[in-house]
Amino acid sequence: MSNPALQPATESPAQKAGLLDRARTVCGDAAWVFVHNRDPDVAMALVENEQLTLIQRIKFIERRDLNPRVFQRIHTLDHWWKSQSIRVAAAKNPRIPVAILHPVVRSLDAFHLCDIANSPYITRDTLIVIERTLQDRLKVMPIGQRITMARKATPRILEILFKGSPHRFVVEAALANPRMNERVLEVGLAQGDWELRALELVLKHPEWGVRYPVRRALFRNRRLEIGVRRELAQEITRQDLMELVRIHHKDHTLIRIATIELERRGYPDLHVKGIHKRTASEERVERLDGPRGMSIDELRALMERNTTEAGDSGEEQGD
């Protein structure tokens, strides 16, 4: 005899009513048949069943064919919604209504949100809600939690972690994340006010520090030492140097380093001067603002002096 829970919806009203009553009270292994039943009425009736195990509820709410009304009903029942595992499973389901998704996301901790963001089934809307929530929480999140999150976060969340001035331990953990990519580092290095030790971690990393897009992004970062930026400039292509001068027209140190490098390669200074034309206000700031007011010759002399001092220091350590 076939199981009534698997029968198509051709039964009489009395049979259908009996099936729905059974769905509201079934328990144990017999409930699995109802958990996978595709009848929308049976699904709504099963929601009222308080005898289901946690595993059965999770498997039920993971179904991709659930009607949004099921989530709306579950959202009002404590014996479902009080379980954090149920809320995580619901957030991963692309069928969950956005009106319910927002309170679900707000009720979960950062690590569960990171787990949901890694799910291959979530929609773009869900990911945006998670990213905005995490961005608000990161402002007050302890350093230990940020380090743990950096080890397994998605690329978009890593970009959020890199905003502002990321701690060097967060950067170190993110560099070991298998989801890290070049674009995340480029965006982070371009917009973040990174501390020098964090920049050095990226520069010396055996995997990321040798990649051209990453080294080009490091060259753009104003916090990096002038001597290091001068060494990196030797690796940048002429086309990229010209483009960086065009984009970073307010970074006078970058412009001078690029000018020196182009002259070293045999290109006249006119190549840079034709790109960057400073206004009178910029020239006034340049004269008054410390290193920005140095001429090209002064900057070249400073870098040569730094190189000489570094060599003398190395000889003394050898002695």
Side-chain angles (χ1 to χ4, degrees), residues 235-270:
E235 306 173 13
I236 308 300
T237 65
R238 172 175 172 264
Q239 181 179 359
D240 282 345
L241 282 175
M242 303 287 282
E243 184 65 20
L244 291 174
V245 169
R246 181 180 294 108
I247 295 174
H248 300 276
H249 60 276
K250 293 185 179 180
D251 187 349
H252 302 286
T253 301
L254 182 148
I255 293 172
R256 291 190 180 86
I257 292 176
T259 302
I260 294 172
E261 180 58 27
L262 290 172
E263 288 180 347
R264 187 185 70 83
R265 299 182 190 182
Y267 298 104
D269 185 35
L270 294 176

Side-chain angles (χ1 to χ4, degrees), residues 143-210:
I143 181 65
Q145 292 186 13
R146 278 183 283 160
I147 293 172
T148 303
M149 182 176 296
R151 294 192 180 105
K152 58 180 182 178
T154 61
R156 177 57 186 147
I157 296 175
L158 286 174
E159 289 182 14
I160 297 173
L161 284 167
F162 282 171
K163 285 185 176 180
S165 180
H167 196 281
R168 66 183 185 280
F169 292 156
V170 174
V171 174
E172 184 177 19
L175 292 176
N177 187 330
R179 298 180 180 85
M180 172 65 73
N181 58 51
E182 290 178 354
R183 182 183 178 280
V184 171
L185 280 174
E186 286 188 87
V187 173
L189 290 168
Q191 68 185 3
D193 187 18
W194 290 36
E195 58 177 304
L196 181 58
R197 286 178 291 185
L199 294 173
E200 291 174 347
L201 282 173
V202 179
L203 181 64
K204 298 177 181 179
H205 195 274
E207 178 182 357
W208 299 109
V210 297

Side-chain angles (χ1 to χ4, degrees), residues 113-129:
L113 294 180
C114 193
D115 177 52
I116 296 170
N118 291 329
S119 173
Y121 302 109
I122 65 170
T123 63
R124 179 58 185 168
D125 291 338
T126 302
L127 191 57
I128 291 175
V129 173

